[in-house]
Amino acid sequence: MTGVQTCALPISEQIAIVKANFAQVVGQKEVVGMLFYDRLFAIAPETKSLFKGDLRTQSRKLMDTLALAIGMLRDMPTLVTTLEGLAKRHVAYGVKDEHYAQVGDALMWTLQNGLGSAFTADARAAWAALYQSVSDIMRKAAAKPSAF
């Protein structure tokens, strides 16, 4: 995602929008996950080599991870710890700093295409602000030298 994203809505309203949007797509998690990966590989083909194994399984894992993170939005200390651990694992998989923007672009495209008219300007702003926060936390954690 290019540029810094901000959202004028109160955080409680942003969370409500994100949760409502996610509830609309979670029932089709494999389809939505595959849509995401198809888009990611179209805009960043070099990322395809980062994924081993069955992509349908990975799609379900992506959606399960999103569900977990969205469920933690009101418990930021736990969410930050979870994201930092996830970032460290992603470094081991070969994820690079520039991939975060590509993932953000693919996520926004997927939401727009998966939600249609439900992906309003407020929804876009809420998701963009959320992804910016998540990617900032993960990028900082990934840049720290490992303690191991």
Side-chain angles (χ1 to χ4, degrees):
M1 289 176 42
T2 55
V4 174
Q5 303 293 326
T6 59
C7 186
L9 298 172
I11 191 74
S12 60
E13 199 169 327
Q14 292 177 49
I15 290 170
I17 289 169
V18 166
K19 285 183 174 189
N21 281 168
F22 192 72
Q24 290 178 283
V25 298
V26 75
Q28 302 173 37
K29 63 182 171 182
E30 188 175 299
V31 171
V32 174
M34 290 301 295
L35 188 64
F36 167 82
Y37 285 111
D38 286 347
R39 181 62 179 171
L40 179 62
F41 299 154
I43 63 174
E46 72 281 3
T47 61
K48 192 167 190 171
S49 66
L50 300 175
F51 298 91
K52 312 294 186 236
D54 179 48
L55 204 52
R56 293 203 181 278
T57 300
Q58 182 63 37
S59 294
R60 286 188 298 273
K61 285 181 185 178
L62 167 71
M63 296 300 286
D64 290 344
T65 300
L66 279 172
L68 180 67
I70 290 167
M72 290 183 203
L73 286 174
R74 296 204 186 270
D75 181 5
M76 286 308 291
T78 302
L79 179 57
V80 169
T81 300
T82 301
L83 291 173
E84 288 172 343
L86 185 62
K88 292 295 185 187
R89 289 192 302 280
H90 279 71
V91 169
Y93 302 148
V95 172
K96 303 206 178 323
D97 189 69
E98 62 267 18
H99 294 144
Y100 286 93
Q102 296 163 331
V103 165
D105 289 342
L107 176 63
M108 297 302 281
W109 182 91
T110 301
L111 290 165
Q112 180 176 337
N113 285 277
L115 290 166
S117 63
F119 197 57
T120 63
D122 283 347
R124 176 180 294 281
W127 278 98
L130 173 62
Y131 185 76
Q132 186 68 51
S133 296
V134 165
S135 66
D136 286 350
I137 291 164
M138 290 182 69
R139 291 166 92 168
K140 286 176 187 166
K144 290 180 187 173
S146 179
F148 301 101

